[in-house]
Amino acid sequence: MLTLQGEPFRFAGTNLYWLGLDENVRGTDHPTYFRIDDALKTARIMNASVVRSHTLGTSLGCAPCIQPGPGEFNNDAFAPIDYAIARARAYGLRLIVPLTDQWGYYHGGYPTMAKWLGLKDPEDFYTDPRAKAAYKEYSRQVLNHRNPYTGLRYKDDPTVMSWELGNELNGMTRDWVDEMGAYLGKLAPRQLISVGRQQGVDTAALTSPEVDIVDVHYYPSSVLTMAADAACVTGRGKVYLAGEHGSDSLTAADALALADDPNVTGVLSWSLFGHADDHGYVRHDDGCTLHYPGDTAAMRTDVLANAALAKMIGGQRRLPALPVTPPLITSVTKQSGINEIAWRGTVGAHTYRIQRSVRGAHGPWTTLTTTPVGDNDTPWLDPTTPHTQASYRVSALDRAGCTLVTSAPLGAGPSEDAEVDTLQNWARMSAHSDSLQRAPDGDGDGVRIAPRPRATAHAAWKVERPEAFTARFATRADSALPTPEVTQDGTTWKQVKPVRSTTGGTTTLRIEPPHDTAGVRLVWAAASHPAPLTCLTLVRKAASVATAAPGAFRQNPGDGATGVPVGEPLAWTAPENAAHYAVVLSTNADLSDPVIDVAGPRTTSYRPPVNLRPNTTYHLRVTAVNGAGSRRAENAPLSFTTSALTVDDFEGYPDGAALSAAYPRDPGGGPVALSLDSQHADGKATPCAPLTTPGPRLLGNRPHPAHHTGLGRRAQPASLGTAGRHRGPKSDRPVRRRRPLLGEGGIPHRHRQRDRQRALADFTNSPWVTKRLLDLTHITQLSLYFNGQAGTTWIDSITATD
């Protein structure tokens, strides 16, 4: 058991493996201060008290790494690590830090050291004296580093709860664990030592007296296995940690069971990502990514389960309050004359409200989003963009829809784009001096850029079609401001006189360079206290304008088309210079009482949120819109009729062998005999031989013949008709299908039962299938189960009906 200030310490949290070195930045580089701060605050919002991060300690073999090559150490690589440890400390979070890795990922590991030493077998790392010495030297460099934010060496900072010998070290020997555990334990006597392998409890870790915490990983999560491993570990006097578990496979019931198990000290999900620097979330597709509050219904469930576990297992410890950072509008840009607004999100926000003012930054404000939007909706298009100056602001809302905090406004004129350089990286600059340094500003939401004291520096941006250039500075009155310069040819620079204003502690420089300007830069002279740049807003002539309505285009399918699949998206050709589209779909020729009436889609297809009804005639009108006007499709409105869905009528099989090939029996089920019965009154049928073994049995798996056409609708799901009879025991009722697998899962909906039919709402995931939302447009397989009843069932057809 762990204790903290004399009290038992149990915890849950997550993995933020990239805090010291990032692979999600168009290559390998240091993460920005904003991303570090945002992710740590998000972990806290999800009730985490501990975070595990590989790259706070494992960083070998690349230019921005702690150890780029053998014998080399890069002190600059500690900058994001220093900041992450300091922010974790400020938020009351503890850290688990691996010092090497089993795998040759982008941040390196022991295979990197083995390669440097010329070891033929990477596993010799555990026995080769040179490798042991290299590992100790690397660990010493990391643990002895002094953090400028805290004044503490890493080995003395209680924020680092545990140094992990390495991540998923499958080949460890007992001698190696003893030696390295003792070395780190002597180097950092106030911090714990942990270690584990990829799967299962590692014997060396379990038996070594130098190890405090045994780390075990689970993909997918398994509460039964966790409980057994935890009992094994605690039975040997060690602390049990589930250092990684698949976040998408933990249920609320699992969370309760883990919280109630006293042998389970810690559980950490894999893995959490926060907001991106400009807009939306950081994307990392490994199947276990979490965003708060969740991109989909399934992810929102995962977030709630992991947050509930952290709250239950961690108890009611008092932690520091979290600062709430307002959203930051990063751009208002024209798309064919229509304003598109992008913003950087707020930790803890569930949705956002967008407002617009046409009278300047002080309002009055009109709300544009009748339904709140999420982080995945940015950039957001304003379909009602006025032909005047427009300012926007974005409010972050909590789960109840109450305002948490509101952004500063950002505006653009009728022919302007406005963009903000967040200064979190060098991506938007065209050039900069090496003497420029970046440091966090405030609580991590912003940064300050300035040269080293007594050094000169410059930062340059390309400015095509400029109309105004604004730079905002947070500086002391005696600070040395930079000088703005412009260029017409990209080589020769000329000073320009800015308009200067000061409000509070912020000095603003505004310049309006000539219209043939190709670039602008700020130049710092050598000074003891150079003024730091904290924000830059660039306003210029819009790159995507509209002088006429969109060009001609046509809708699909052709007018009068029949047999259109119900799950097929509505589509049309691409007109010239369209910003977005308005789509109206109705079962009435005059388009009244529309099934769909939506404005804002930006691509040339639109998938309705519900499947269309089979065997139904619809009328469609698509209108293209830009800043100069709108144009309907040339063939709008048109009508089309959807197909009636027959999954299988069993009329196309020449013999029983073909039928059996189409419906292979699950080898784990009982005996099922398939045959064709051409004498059945309704034509061919598929009688099933008597089932004599108790328990559910599978009739067969039938690949759906119309992949991507779907079965039924989301909002009012179709039923799966079987037109079947059952002869034998309990033959007065239709055969009950028990938990069949239909594509990707089930959605509970109110539905109407019919004689000898089952609605799609009855079909849910089989217990061995990872939970996820059923997409009725992508059903690819049908499985039929029985309940061990002896008898014969005839199935004439399987159809999707309204």
Side-chain angles (χ1 to χ4, degrees), residues 427-657:
R428 290 181 180 266
M429 295 183 187
S430 57
H432 65 87
S433 300
D434 292 338
S435 58
L436 273 182
Q437 298 182 104
R438 185 185 290 110
D441 182 54
D443 68 355
D445 177 56
V447 296
R448 297 179 286 111
I449 290 180
R452 298 181 181 91
R454 299 180 180 84
T456 60
H458 70 269
W461 295 262
K462 287 184 178 180
V463 187
E464 299 175 359
R465 304 175 301 277
E467 290 197 354
F469 171 80
T470 304
R472 296 184 179 91
F473 301 86
T475 179
R476 296 177 301 276
D478 60 347
S479 293
L481 295 172
T483 301
E485 297 181 343
V486 298
T487 183
Q488 296 174 327
D489 58 9
T491 302
T492 305
W493 294 88
K494 180 177 66 174
Q495 289 187 14
V496 291
K497 185 176 181 179
V499 177
R500 174 175 170 172
S501 62
T502 301
T503 303
T506 301
T507 296
T508 300
L509 299 182
R510 179 183 179 91
I511 64 172
E512 295 184 4
H515 287 283
D516 55 356
T517 298
V520 63
R521 72 179 182 180
L522 300 176
V523 178
W524 284 266
S528 299
H529 301 286
L533 175 65
T534 59
C535 182
L536 180 142
T537 302
L538 189 65
V539 181
R540 59 188 179 185
K541 185 176 180 180
S544 179
V545 297
T547 57
F553 70 106
R554 296 182 64 81
Q555 299 174 178
N556 294 320
D559 192 26
T562 59
V564 176
V566 296
E568 189 169 286
L570 308 173
W572 49 92
T573 61
E576 184 179 359
N577 211 19
H580 66 95
Y581 303 92
V583 181
V584 179
L585 184 73
S586 174
T587 55
N588 302 313
D590 62 358
L591 299 178
S592 61
D593 192 22
V595 176
I596 294 168
D597 187 355
V598 60
R602 289 184 250 181
T603 60
T604 56
S605 67
Y606 176 74
R607 184 179 294 278
V610 297
N611 285 348
L612 304 184
R613 295 170 57 182
N615 201 27
T616 301
T617 298
Y618 288 94
H619 304 270
L620 172 66
R621 182 185 69 208
V622 178
T623 304
V625 183
N626 67 17
S630 62
R631 182 192 295 270
R632 291 183 181 178
E634 291 182 332
N635 55 340
L638 61 74
S639 64
F640 63 89
T641 302
T642 55
S643 61
L645 288 179
T646 298
V647 179
D648 202 339
D649 60 8
F650 305 103
E651 300 294 331
Y653 300 102
D655 50 39

Side-chain angles (χ1 to χ4, degrees), residues 381-397:
L381 204 68
D382 176 8
T384 61
T385 298
H387 297 289
T388 60
Q389 172 80 22
S391 295
Y392 296 87
R393 68 181 188 181
V394 175
S395 296
L397 311 178

